[in-house]
Amino acid sequence: KFLQNYQSTANDGRVQFTKQFTSNLSVEAAVKKYTEFFKSSGWTAPSTIKSPVVLLKKAETAMIVVNKGTGEANSVVEVTLLQKK
């Protein structure tokens, strides 16, 4: 379930995209899954994978933040991408 989905532009032209959604995965499993997804697309990640994870690719930066969810959601995942315009 998507909780937030937005885009904004900074004064210097950088564009930020953020998506926040719930997941049935545990916090640890969600961090691993989404970090591995970015790594398989050529992003570099730290050797220790722990939320928040900051990934880099050329002039772009991505951040994955996973927190414990409530109710039916085991975790809440937020993925933010900051790129040059």
Side-chain angles (χ1 to χ4, degrees), residues 43-75:
W43 291 76
T44 54
S47 57
T48 303
I49 299 176
K50 183 178 175 186
S51 180
V53 178
V54 176
L55 303 109
L56 303 171
K57 184 178 181 181
K58 298 182 183 177
E60 300 175 332
T61 304
M63 184 168 64
I64 302 168
V65 179
V66 183
N67 292 301
K68 185 167 176 41
T70 59
E72 294 181 18
N74 289 330
S75 59

Side-chain angles (χ1 to χ4, degrees), residues 4-10 13-20 79-85:
Q4 293 187 39
N5 182 21
Y6 58 89
Q7 172 183 333
S8 60
T9 304
R14 293 176 297 150
V15 181
Q16 174 182 320
F17 304 92
T18 300
K19 293 192 182 295
Q20 185 183 61
V79 178
T80 300
L81 174 63
L82 181 65
Q83 65 182 153
K84 295 253 182 191
K85 188 172 182 181

Side-chain angles (χ1 to χ4, degrees), residues 3 20-31 50-52 64-78:
L3 303 174
Q20 185 183 61
F21 52 94
T22 59
S23 172
N24 290 329
L25 298 173
S26 68
V27 169
E28 296 79 13
V31 169
K50 183 178 175 186
S51 180
I64 302 168
V65 179
V66 183
N67 292 301
K68 185 167 176 41
T70 59
E72 294 181 18
N74 289 330
S75 59
V76 176
V77 180
E78 182 173 293

Side-chain angles (χ1 to χ4, degrees), residues 24-44:
N24 290 329
L25 298 173
S26 68
V27 169
E28 296 79 13
V31 169
K32 183 177 180 181
K33 176 181 180 174
Y34 295 106
T35 300
E36 291 300 322
F37 170 80
F38 276 89
K39 285 174 64 178
S40 72
S41 298
W43 291 76
T44 54

